[in-house]
Amino acid sequence: MSWVEEFRAHEAIYRRAPSAHNTQPWTLEYRADEIVIGIDPARALPGSDPGGRDLRLGLGAFVETCLIVAADAGLSVTYDSRRLLAAPSPYVTPFTAADVSARRVARGAYRPGVVSTAGLEPGLVHVPSRDLADDLAVADRWMFSTPRVALELRDWLRLDPGDPRYRLDGLTDRALELSRGEARVLASALRAYPVTRRLGLAALLAASGRNLLRYDGSVLVLTGDVSLDAGRRLLRTWLTLGRSGLAVHPLSQLLDCPATAARLAARVGATPLAVFRVGVPLHEPVRSARRP
Ligand SMILES: Cc1cc2nc3c(=O)[nH]c(=O)nc-3n(C[C@H](O)[C@H](O)[C@H](O)COP(=O)(O)O)c2cc1C
């Protein structure tokens, strides 16, 4: 059996890599002695990610996930120019396929407590969660009142367990920790979106997330240039935190909304690439959907 075939046997694990809106935008072309990694444009997010920041980070996170899974399987694999290739020795990483399987985003309440950046990847800046609470409300309101962003989010929401894509991709009501009632309200508001926007219901929807940062907790901001390498750092950071029992919840709307992005950049003194809450979740988060 070639290394490509052996690696492919672990596909269900490396597909656990995170991606914005859980679009899983990567494509894999299995060849005799290499695997070409590409992007499916139908799974990009031109409305909310016009610059491709999250796409690039997600691709980096996927590559890092592949290298960890390959190393754990004893396969010597490296990454170069959009390809996974045979290497002289396995990728050196402290992480395992079990870490990849256990990783998940947690969007519910966290236990109060501040997290240290010691031992984490370079380029991470700590911000007390309360300091960003007002800006999160601004960013949420912006997100729901900006049609290109709200309508794209609608496309990737899976709020009805009867949706044929419920177990394949996107964001389910359970992943978003919504009650059945909340999911129904959100679904009908987004279905009638232009009307709900005019009526100002967008702001009401946005208010639901307002208290998410009003506790004594931590937000970490990954800074640097948008690159595949930054996505690899992001994934390693999430796995390191996960090993300490800490979950993450990205809040990319803080970067997508121009006003809050500018304030965050000024605050951290660098270009913010990813911003996420970190802490011990009060409830066990659900396992997100994946395409086979
Ligand atoms: C670059 C990037 C940006 C993300 N932004 C957000 C976000 O703004 N809000 C959110 O709830 N999740 C965000 N996520 C998390 C994804 O929605 C999540 O990875 C996906 O739904 C799969 O779930 P899992 O990570 O629990 O397996 C982001 C993930 C990545 C890689």
Side-chain angles (χ1 to χ4, degrees), residues 11 28 39 45 48 70 80 99-100 111 127 132 139 145 147 169 181 193 258 274:
E11 187 165 332
L28 294 159
I39 291 292
L45 297 169
S48 51
D80 190 27
D99 294 313
V100 166
R111 194 193 299 161
V127 181
L132 295 175
S145 58
D169 57 15
Y193 180 70

Side-chain angles (χ1 to χ4, degrees), residues 2 15 19 25-26 34 45 62 113 128 133 136 144 152 183 187-188 199-200 243 247 261 273-274 289:
S2 75
R15 279 189 176 277
S19 57
W26 49 82
E34 64 177 16
L45 297 169
F62 181 69
L136 184 62
F144 284 111
E152 194 169 71
S188 41
L199 291 174
R243 277 201 163 175
L273 297 178

Side-chain angles (χ1 to χ4, degrees), residues 16-23 53-55 57-58 61 103-107 170-171 175-176 234 238 249-253 256 273-275 286-290:
R16 297 302 312 163
S19 57
H21 288 9
N22 197 19
T23 62
R53 179 200 65 222
D54 284 354
L55 190 63
L57 292 176
R103 187 209 59 76
R104 59 192 69 177
V105 161
R107 298 183 180 85
L171 301 164
L176 296 174
L234 184 66
W238 290 358
H249 175 190
L251 302 164
S252 306
Q253 62 270 44
D256 300 336
L273 297 178
V275 49
V286 297
R287 197 170 159 82
S288 54
R290 284 297 181 282

Side-chain angles (χ1 to χ4, degrees), residues 18-115:
S19 57
H21 288 9
N22 197 19
T23 62
Q24 306 159 46
W26 49 82
T27 57
L28 294 159
E29 191 189 323
Y30 294 96
R31 296 184 179 165
D33 199 30
E34 64 177 16
I35 301 165
V36 181
I37 298 179
I39 291 292
D40 179 351
R43 291 180 170 272
L45 297 169
S48 51
D49 185 29
R53 179 200 65 222
D54 284 354
L55 190 63
R56 197 117 189 92
L57 292 176
L59 191 62
F62 181 69
V63 166
E64 186 71 16
T65 302
C66 287
L67 292 176
I68 291 169
V69 173
D72 192 44
L75 298 170
S76 299
V77 176
T78 190
Y79 176 82
D80 190 27
S81 316
R82 298 203 157 232
R83 282 163 169 73
L84 293 172
L85 304 161
S89 53
Y91 178 56
V92 177
T93 172
F95 301 113
T96 64
D99 294 313
V100 166
S101 287
R103 187 209 59 76
R104 59 192 69 177
V105 161
R107 298 183 180 85
Y110 290 179
R111 194 193 299 161
V114 170
V115 167

Side-chain angles (χ1 to χ4, degrees), residues 50-230:
R53 179 200 65 222
D54 284 354
L55 190 63
R56 197 117 189 92
L57 292 176
L59 191 62
F62 181 69
V63 166
E64 186 71 16
T65 302
C66 287
L67 292 176
I68 291 169
V69 173
D72 192 44
L75 298 170
S76 299
V77 176
T78 190
Y79 176 82
D80 190 27
S81 316
R82 298 203 157 232
R83 282 163 169 73
L84 293 172
L85 304 161
S89 53
Y91 178 56
V92 177
T93 172
F95 301 113
T96 64
D99 294 313
V100 166
S101 287
R103 187 209 59 76
R104 59 192 69 177
V105 161
R107 298 183 180 85
Y110 290 179
R111 194 193 299 161
V114 170
V115 167
S116 159
T117 54
L120 295 178
E121 294 285 321
L124 282 161
V125 182
H126 179 274
V127 181
S129 56
R130 282 188 194 281
D131 291 10
L132 295 175
D134 287 343
D135 265 2
L136 184 62
V138 171
D140 278 343
R141 215 174 304 123
W142 173 88
M143 179 168 73
F144 284 111
S145 58
T146 305
R148 66 180 159 84
V149 179
L151 292 173
E152 194 169 71
L153 175 64
R154 181 177 75 179
D155 288 347
W156 290 98
L157 287 178
R158 310 284 181 253
L159 298 176
D160 175 1
D163 187 325
R165 297 160 303 175
Y166 195 80
R167 283 172 193 79
L168 292 179
D169 57 15
L171 301 164
T172 64
D173 50 341
R174 294 180 65 226
L176 296 174
E177 303 213 13
L178 299 175
S179 67
R180 284 306 307 140
E182 287 168 332
R184 254 183 244 120
V185 169
L186 181 59
S188 41
L190 284 172
R191 209 174 300 124
Y193 180 70
V195 176
T196 47
R197 181 170 175 249
R198 266 203 304 279
L199 291 174
L201 285 185
L204 201 71
L205 282 177
S208 63
R210 196 170 287 163
N211 290 322
L212 212 52
L213 295 179
R214 290 199 201 283
Y215 71 108
D216 295 316
S218 290
V219 170
L220 294 184
V221 183
L222 179 74
T223 62
D225 297 324
V226 178
S227 66
L228 188 119
D229 197 56

